Amino acid sequence: MIFKDHFGCIAGSIVMLVLGASMAVLGAVVSGTPLTYVSFMHSWGAAFVFNFLAAIIFPAGQWANAFCRLCKAAPGTLLFQALNTLVMNGVYVTCVTLGMMTVNVGFNAMYWPAFFQLYPILFIGGYCVAFLTGIVAAKIAGKIVGP
């Protein structure tokens, strides 16, 4: 998320906001927790914070670009977007899920069973949301930053 250019910051922020909201909704639906405005805002805010902290700590963008180069995916292609999203989603959804599990479940005997029950669903849902949002976010960032 923390890039040396504004394009990456804008696109990453848009994806983080949408991904946080989708994880808040999906997490509540899957866990059977009632989704109220207050619970949504609490979960969305916490997800965004965990996402942002993960972006500061882990160079996921560099990892994703390196993986795309390794796979010989050209920037701007659908394959590049798919592989980039896979790596970024792996880092961010994992960090957000771990953080949200700590906040909502607490670190107790139910932590890991709940994590492994919820994580695959959040990963797949997060991947779909991040993939689609990433395409739109790149276009928005491109219009803001310019050619």
Side-chain angles (χ1 to χ4, degrees):
M1 163 56 197
I2 304 300
F3 297 101
K4 294 182 180 175
D5 62 72
H6 295 303
F7 178 87
C9 290
I10 294 167
S13 295
I14 293 168
V15 172
M16 271 195 233
L17 285 168
V18 176
L19 184 61
S22 68
M23 288 186 72
V25 171
L26 191 56
V29 168
V30 171
S31 67
T33 305
L35 185 63
T36 64
Y37 176 76
V38 173
S39 68
F40 170 76
M41 294 306 288
H42 171 70
S43 292
W44 186 22
F48 183 80
V49 169
F50 288 123
N51 219 345
F52 185 77
L53 291 173
I56 291 172
I57 295 168
F58 300 109
Q62 293 172 359
W63 295 343
N65 287 332
F67 183 66
C68 289
R69 279 192 305 275
L70 182 69
C71 295
K72 298 184 184 347
T77 64
L78 196 58
L79 178 62
F80 181 89
Q81 178 69 22
L83 295 174
N84 188 293
T85 302
L86 181 68
V87 174
M88 300 281 274
N89 193 61
V91 173
Y92 296 133
V93 169
T94 301
C95 290
V96 170
T97 304
L98 289 169
M100 294 302 294
M101 293 299 296
T102 304
V103 168
N104 293 323
V105 176
F107 201 73
N108 57 38
M110 290 304 300
Y111 185 86
W112 291 113
F115 174 82
F116 287 116
Q117 179 183 9
L118 192 60
Y119 181 74
I121 297 165
L122 290 178
F123 185 86
I124 293 168
Y127 181 85
C128 294
V129 168
F131 180 79
L132 296 173
T133 304
I135 294 169
V136 174
K139 289 181 182 184
I140 292 169
K143 287 186 181 196
I144 293 170
V145 173

